[in-house]
Amino acid sequence: MNTTSALNAAGAKPLQFPIPANVYAETVVSVKHYTDRLFSFRITRPQSLRFRSGEFVMIGLPNAEKPIFRAYSVASPAWDDELEFFSIKVPDGPLTSELQKIQVGDTVIMRQKSTGTLVLDALTPAKRVFMISTGTGIAPFASLLRDPDTYEKFDQVILTHTCRDNAELTYGQELVAALESDPLIGELTGGRVTLYNSTTREDSARMGRITALIGSSKFYTDLGIDKLNPETDRIMICGSMHMLKDVKELAESLGFQEGSLSHPATFVVERAFVG
Ligand SMILES: Cc1cc2nc3c(=O)[nH]c(=O)nc-3n(C[C@H](O)[C@H](O)[C@H](O)COP(=O)(O)OP(=O)(O)OC[C@H]3O[C@@H](n4cnc5c(N)ncnc54)[C@H](O)[C@@H]3O)c2cc1C
């Protein structure tokens, strides 16, 4: 059985815990902190891991006999050699109170199965896809935005990201800004991706919940686009329960139908966290 070293609570003495069976042990390659609530990190990718862009995996730390695992959307695309994650820091969170301290060279453990509903195969093809996110709910879209299949299936991608503060929008802004210079998918994405940001607490150029912005039609006038229409559009939703409920109701009122792998349709939903 493999073992790995982890720091004890005081961060002093390395402790040895066995890596549970059927779990990948991967190495942290980079860590970037955005705010006191958000950070991203990349780890090595197990050679045998196969996943669809937009899916989530269960990750944990080798810091206990029975480690805690939590669901995490993979933020990198399915073709990437590494795995990227975009994470919350919950001060007393069983996982993230420790996960937020990881450094390059540390070990992150991961269950071997991926799953999730935010996958291209659960949608029928269309002209535009709207990816609606709040907070860390942007993570599965960070994966899909870098997947060539997204651009095979849709002509235009409109990503909305709403957070409390401006600084929390940085991850998504950097992601979209980097798309066009990406050597692998830059040519595909040129002029086809629109980012629409708003904040709910801090003053910014655009404030408000996405449902309010769509409901008042400000969303459409800001972007100069036609209204959501199930004939031409698909919707993918990931965020807080409150946001999911509101956007789902809005989508259904416009005639969109929830899709799945067995019955692809016109919208898909996944929560970004429980609670
Ligand atoms: C399908 C799915 C995918 C997920 N993907 C991600 C992801 O990509 N990135 C990520 O950071 N988390 C993600 N989560 C949440 C994640 O599983 C954990 O809840 C989170 O890492 C906190 O773990 P914890 O043990 O520290 O605290 P927990 O005990 O899990 O959570 C404590 C409380 O913190 C709040 N909280 C938890 N996660 C978040 C969050 N992401 N944003 C805002 N508030 C939160 C909730 O109020 C929760 O009750 C996902 C959850 C699900 C169900």
Side-chain angles (χ1 to χ4, degrees):
M1 184 181 274
N2 289 332
T3 60
T4 189
S5 62
L7 295 183
N8 68 8
K13 267 193 195 161
L15 300 175
Q16 296 288 324
F17 289 104
I19 301 285
N22 302 321
V23 161
Y24 296 121
E26 298 302 318
T27 305
V28 177
V29 176
S30 62
V31 183
K32 182 167 181 181
H33 291 270
Y34 289 88
T35 68
D36 58 357
R37 290 183 74 239
L38 293 172
F39 71 113
S40 68
F41 59 97
R42 293 177 74 90
I43 63 174
T44 52
R45 176 174 175 168
Q47 282 197 341
S48 58
L49 176 75
R50 294 282 172 274
F51 69 97
R52 290 182 167 95
S53 295
E55 286 188 325
F56 67 89
V57 291
M58 303 297 295
I59 66 170
L61 288 171
N63 58 358
E65 198 78 44
K66 288 192 179 164
I68 292 158
F69 286 88
R70 291 284 190 257
Y72 267 79
S73 297
V74 182
S76 45
W79 53 260
D80 202 324
D81 288 342
E82 296 171 354
L83 298 176
E84 180 176 314
F85 298 97
F86 183 47
S87 180
I88 192 78
K89 304 174 192 175
V90 182
D92 303 320
L95 178 64
T96 57
S97 57
E98 292 302 315
L99 189 68
Q100 62 180 281
K101 298 177 196 161
I102 53 167
Q103 295 186 353
V104 172
D106 286 352
T107 300
V108 169
I109 55 178
M110 190 169 85
R111 293 224 171 101
Q112 296 185 353
K113 193 175 149 19
S114 65
T115 186
T117 53
L118 296 175
V119 293
L120 295 172
D121 290 343
L123 294 172
T124 49
K127 188 163 165 255
R128 306 184 295 183
V129 61
F130 290 76
M131 300 177 176
I132 311 283
S133 68
T134 54
T136 61
I138 194 174
F141 303 138
S143 173
L144 287 160
L145 277 170
R146 293 181 271 191
D147 189 326
D149 289 350
T150 301
Y151 304 92
E152 290 275 316
K153 198 152 192 171
F154 306 106
D155 297 338
Q156 294 288 326
V157 182
I158 293 118
L159 168 69
T160 82
H161 192 209
T162 300
C163 292
R164 295 177 186 180
D165 310 327
N166 286 296
E168 295 182 345
L169 299 170
T170 307
Y171 175 81
Q173 290 165 342
E174 290 181 354
L175 166 81
V176 172
L179 283 179
E180 294 204 5
S181 56
D182 188 303
L184 285 169
I185 51 152
E187 271 183 33
L188 275 178
T189 64
R192 295 168 72 183
V193 180
T194 303
L195 174 63
Y196 189 80
N197 283 144
S198 68
T199 58
T200 52
R201 289 198 189 167
E202 191 182 8
D203 278 351
S204 71
R206 191 181 300 117
M207 293 196 66
R209 294 180 188 281
I210 192 64
T211 33
L213 292 161
I214 296 174
S216 69
S217 287
K218 180 169 166 50
F219 176 62
Y220 303 116
T221 46
D222 283 350
L223 293 179
I225 58 171
D226 290 338
K227 293 195 170 180
L228 280 162
N229 176 353
E231 297 287 317
T232 50
D233 304 327
R234 302 293 172 257
I235 310 175
M236 307 180 92
I237 314 163
C238 189
S240 65
M241 287 302 282
H242 186 257
M243 186 279 265
L244 298 190
K245 182 174 163 290
D246 287 354
V247 180
K248 188 175 169 177
E249 277 173 17
L250 174 83
E252 285 173 342
S253 74
L254 294 171
F256 286 85
Q257 291 187 330
E258 189 161 358
S260 64
L261 284 176
S262 51
H263 292 100
T266 52
F267 82 91
V268 283
V269 183
E270 193 149 77
R271 55 194 178 178
F273 60 92
V274 181

